[in-house]
Amino acid sequence: MNGNNATPLVTCRDVVKTYGSGNAEVHALRGVDLDVYPGELTMLVGPSGCGKTTLLSVVAGILRPTAGSVSVLRTDLTHLSSWRRTAFRRDHVGFVFQQFNLLPALTAAENAAVPLVIQGRSRRTALARSKELLDQMGMADRVSSLPGKLSGGQQQRVAIARALIHHPHLLVCDEPTSALDAKTGHTILELLRSIAVEGDRAVMIVTHDSRIFEFADTLARMDDGHIVSVERKNGRDKHEIDNQAIAS
Amino acid sequence: MNWIAFKMLTGNRGKYLGIILGIAFATLLIAQQASIFCGLMLQTSGQIRDIQGAGIWVMDPNVQFSDDIKPLSDSDLYRVRGVPGVSWAVRLYKGLTRSRLEDGNFQQTILLGLDDATLVGAPPNMILGNLFDLRKPDAVIMDLEGYQLLWPGEEPRIGKRFEMNDHEAEIVGICKASRTFQTFPVVYTRYSQALEFVPPERKVLSFVLADAEKGADVNEVCRRIQEQTGLRAVTGEQFEWITIWYFWRNTGIPFNFGITVALGFVVGTAIAAQTFYLFTIENIKQYGALKAMGAGNWSLMAMILLQAMLVSVTGFGLGIGAATWFGTIANAPGSRLAFYMPLEVFVATGLAVIAIGMLSSLLSMQRVMVVEPAVVFQG
């Protein structure tokens, strides 16, 4: 499947997720199979309500699937206790949210330091690391700014720094460009590709934004709780992804 | 995580101040009302405390509190003196009389007649004059607040005259005395002089003040007095509590103040809990994000508890400060307000505020416990 014959970092097999019961039952995922490889940027695309975010939540260990299995870093998340899933997220998963979800009372550096603090690092160590990371992202002059004083693009950079500060193996991004203009969105994706996509890390992005499909190594199209197609590029220069087809 | 909790709390100034003010208000209400209650209760027994030098009070067995005078016969004094272990015993007159001022006005007055020879029970703090001038004819010593009540706006001075029972009295001294529950002026004089200031009665001895011999157990001496004379003998402290409990049982004061204290607790809890809960709800997505990033429920509960304790301590500090400020005003010279804040009120208020903080945070904790981290993916 993978051009590099690498072992998948994320393996989903026949994943089902159902919300509610009886007449109110909603099938968000109806038997999803997906492999996500390290060193790649995988995009989940599809119409609203097709189950993209649910799949992302299941893979990130936030939601437990109703059926099927989800394995990340060879750990079967399906049978992990709630406490262990929390610990797993803390140690191995980074998050970038659509609305950034920065803590408004914390400065940019403090926000980026939060995952290290959750891991139990001292405030000083965490802040030193977050300032270093924000510096790499061109935010050195805004480390002391509160989120309210930052532009959308700057806030998303802080969110990316926060997601990467603890060196997670899996980075999940939910619509990371939807709150940004086209140019800023493009810049954010370039940043994600250059900083986040590393040899031992997989990046999963849920998006509607067809303008950023070009950054994907793998494009998984979803519809009505199924993955309807998976397109992989064997080297980014060799295989073009049909943006128009997916966007439609 | 503590500093994150702290910054989250203080970052929203409006809510932060709202919660603190709610708790401060509750603290003020609880501490102030409880202290006024204690002050009033203390006033009921103030005159017992002011009578110093005597360890034992002897009285009619049916006396229920310090103003419930049931006169003894003069022979009772000698019977008390004859009890083994009693070092000395003297008379004390205590009663109400009417003072007539130069302008023809009358004022109820508490009259204390001290043993002529020893002046046991004399006021401990003289402001003007000399205690031993009480030995002069018609001499009385009046408490400062009583003087100001009788002659408002006048500078206290000795030599002032007024009448009691058509008998002229001359003020030879001004003293400091505990405020009385009835707020009447307190007039000290000699026992023999006091009998001239009140209408004649068959029995006039109100109390016998006594003390135990050196090394003797006061309670044992009291027991012996009771056994041998049939009178009631208690220590000064016991008599204070007998008086306080009488007012506690027989007046609506504790109940009324208890209601206000309870209201302070309920209103404070309601304000603090509501504001704190709204604060948590506003931040629920932030808590969801922290959960998604791997913060456990215990960590988040600790954050909320820390926030609750922080606002509780700050609110308590402000509230107790305001109550103390009120107390300073209440206890200023000339003020008729009762206020006494014992350590017990301070500690009990602190515990009540901690309870308010805990109750306030419980709702918020419950909300944060059940929030799904997936909430962060809802746009």
Side-chain angles (χ1 to χ4, degrees):
Chain A
M1 295 277 287
N2 177 261
N4 302 321
N5 290 324
T7 308
L9 192 136
V10 177
T11 307
C12 299
R13 291 291 174 265
D14 201 20
V15 173
V16 174
K17 179 66 186 175
T18 307
Y19 295 107
S21 58
N23 291 337
E25 205 169 72
V26 176
H27 300 282
L29 300 176
R30 299 167 183 267
V32 169
D33 293 317
L34 180 69
D35 291 325
V36 176
Y37 292 90
E40 285 193 2
L41 195 156
T42 301
M43 283 190 191
L44 293 173
V45 300
S48 291
C50 69
K52 304 184 296 288
T53 299
T54 301
L55 180 58
L56 196 72
S57 300
V58 167
V59 167
I62 286 177
L63 291 179
R64 196 193 293 272
T66 310
S69 70
V70 177
S71 168
V72 180
L73 288 165
R74 294 181 183 162
T75 303
D76 185 359
L77 297 186
T78 323
H79 298 108
L80 283 188
S81 66
S82 174
W83 183 83
R84 286 192 184 280
R85 275 190 295 130
T86 301
F88 185 85
R89 290 199 303 271
R90 182 186 64 211
D91 295 332
H92 301 296
V93 186
F95 292 89
V96 177
F97 308 110
Q98 182 179 357
Q99 297 299 329
F100 321 130
N101 281 329
L102 299 175
L103 299 176
L106 268 54
T107 64
E110 288 167 341
N111 262 295
V114 166
L116 289 182
V117 176
I118 291 174
Q119 284 184 341
R121 307 283 181 85
S122 73
R123 185 183 184 209
R124 179 183 288 191
T125 310
L127 280 177
R129 172 71 189 125
S130 77
K131 283 175 184 168
E132 198 179 299
L133 195 55
L134 286 169
D135 188 23
Q136 281 178 33
M137 299 174 79
M139 291 279 292
D141 56 337
R142 306 313 299 268
V143 291
S144 301
S145 301
L146 292 172
K149 301 285 180 193
L150 299 175
S151 68
Q154 288 171 326
Q155 287 189 55
Q156 198 59 302
R157 280 167 191 259
V158 175
I160 292 170
R162 180 178 67 182
L164 295 174
I165 195 165
H166 56 308
H167 302 294
H169 290 95
L170 176 64
L171 179 65
V172 295
C173 312
D174 181 41
E175 305 276 8
T177 58
S178 70
L180 307 173
D181 61 66
K183 189 181 168 197
T184 311
H186 204 270
T187 311
I188 289 295
L189 257 294
E190 280 177 346
L191 186 70
L192 273 173
R193 273 219 72 90
S194 63
I195 293 184
V197 182
E198 291 178 351
D200 62 344
R201 179 185 297 138
V203 178
M204 285 182 76
I205 296 178
V206 160
T207 185
H208 277 103
D209 189 353
S210 59
R211 295 167 302 188
I212 64 167
F213 289 177
E214 61 182 286
F215 291 96
D217 296 307
T218 300
L219 204 58
R221 286 182 291 172
M222 291 189 72
D223 195 12
D224 195 23
H226 294 98
I227 299 236
V228 291
S229 72
V230 176
E231 296 174 34
R232 300 189 191 283
K233 289 195 292 181
N234 230 354
R236 294 186 55 75
D237 300 333
K238 296 176 188 170
H239 187 81
E240 276 298 316
I241 295 169
D242 185 355
N243 288 352
Q244 292 300 323
I246 292 160
S248 65
Chain B
M1 299 291 278
N2 292 350
W3 63 270
I4 296 177
F6 176 77
K7 292 201 94 172
M8 277 176 80
L9 177 69
T10 54
N12 189 334
R13 292 274 163 84
K15 286 275 186 300
Y16 177 54
L17 288 177
I19 304 166
I20 284 180
L21 284 179
I23 291 176
F25 175 71
T27 305
L28 172 66
L29 217 53
I30 294 170
Q32 184 215 42
Q33 293 297 305
S35 298
I36 290 175
F37 171 71
C38 289
L40 280 174
M41 289 294 106
L42 214 60
Q43 281 186 357
T44 63
S45 58
Q47 285 192 303
I48 303 170
R49 268 189 309 283
D50 282 354
I51 304 287
Q52 293 188 357
I56 300 170
W57 288 66
V58 185
M59 63 202 80
D60 184 276
N62 295 317
V63 167
Q64 299 183 77
F65 63 105
S66 62
D67 293 328
D68 180 29
I69 309 295
K70 294 185 170 68
L72 307 170
S73 64
D74 281 346
S75 61
D76 286 332
L77 171 65
Y78 303 110
R79 292 167 65 206
V80 172
R81 281 178 178 165
V83 174
V86 172
S87 173
W88 51 261
V90 295
R91 298 177 177 91
L92 177 73
Y93 175 84
K94 184 172 188 292
L96 280 178
T97 184
R98 267 185 306 175
S99 300
R100 185 171 178 275
L101 310 181
E102 305 102 317
D103 60 3
N105 267 342
F106 287 93
Q107 170 66 52
Q108 287 276 13
T109 309
I110 297 169
L111 183 65
L112 291 170
L114 313 175
D115 178 59
D116 288 49
T118 60
L119 297 181
V120 167
N125 298 311
M126 293 294 294
I127 296 171
L128 280 177
N130 190 325
L131 177 65
F132 295 102
D133 287 342
L134 266 190
R135 298 192 195 283
K136 291 178 181 173
D138 305 331
V140 296
I141 292 174
M142 185 177 279
D143 75 306
L144 178 65
E145 290 185 11
Y147 188 99
Q148 288 165 340
L149 183 72
L150 291 181
W151 297 284
E154 267 191 42
E155 193 66 26
R157 63 179 176 86
I158 53 179
K160 195 91 179 164
R161 288 178 171 272
F162 62 100
E163 283 181 13
M164 287 183 285
N165 190 31
D166 295 330
H167 199 103
E168 195 164 72
E170 181 184 352
I171 294 176
V172 296
I174 304 290
C175 69
K176 196 171 184 315
S178 298
R179 281 177 205 157
T180 60
F181 190 64
Q182 303 96 326
T183 70
F184 296 154
V186 182
V187 172
Y188 293 85
T189 188
R190 282 174 289 113
Y191 187 84
S192 58
Q193 184 75 64
L195 300 187
E196 293 179 28
F197 289 142
V198 293
E201 285 184 86
R202 196 170 64 83
K203 292 201 289 185
V204 288
L205 177 59
S206 310
F207 297 98
V208 172
L209 299 178
D211 212 355
E213 282 174 352
K214 203 169 183 182
D217 177 17
V218 180
N219 289 310
E220 174 58 21
V221 174
C222 288
R223 193 192 61 76
R224 273 189 226 147
I225 293 172
Q226 289 188 171
E227 198 177 83
Q228 294 187 22
T229 64
L231 301 172
R232 187 178 196 184
V234 292
T235 65
E237 194 183 339
Q238 286 167 347
F239 195 30
E240 280 180 48
W241 280 108
I242 288 167
T243 301
I244 288 171
W245 284 116
Y246 174 83
F247 281 90
W248 181 285
R249 283 193 308 268
N250 295 289
T251 68
I253 296 170
F255 186 69
N256 288 326
F257 278 91
I259 288 174
T260 316
V261 168
L263 274 178
F265 184 82
V266 171
V267 172
T269 307
I271 295 174
Q274 190 193 28
T275 322
F276 198 70
Y277 183 68
L278 286 176
F279 167 79
T280 307
I281 294 299
E282 273 184 14
N283 286 307
I284 203 72
K285 246 188 157 174
Q286 320 301 340
Y287 285 113
L290 289 173
K291 262 191 172 182
M293 287 187 278
N297 275 335
W298 287 111
S299 299
L300 299 181
M301 277 168 66
M303 284 174 73
I304 290 173
L305 206 58
L306 177 78
Q307 290 170 341
M309 288 302 108
L310 194 70
V311 289
S312 297
V313 169
T314 314
F316 175 73
L318 288 175
I320 211 82
T324 310
W325 178 67
F326 175 86
T328 310
I329 294 170
N331 288 329
S335 167
R336 292 265 158 195
L337 290 168
F339 188 95
Y340 172 63
M341 189 191 289
L343 183 64
E344 287 83 352
V345 167
F346 182 85
V347 172
T349 308
L351 292 175
V353 169
I354 288 173
I356 289 174
M358 297 290 277
L359 285 172
S360 304
S361 57
L362 276 180
L363 278 175
S364 300
M365 278 187 197
Q366 188 268 343
R367 190 72 183 83
V368 169
M369 289 280 277
V370 299
V371 71
E372 283 291 336
V375 71
V376 291
F377 290 133
Q378 292 163 7

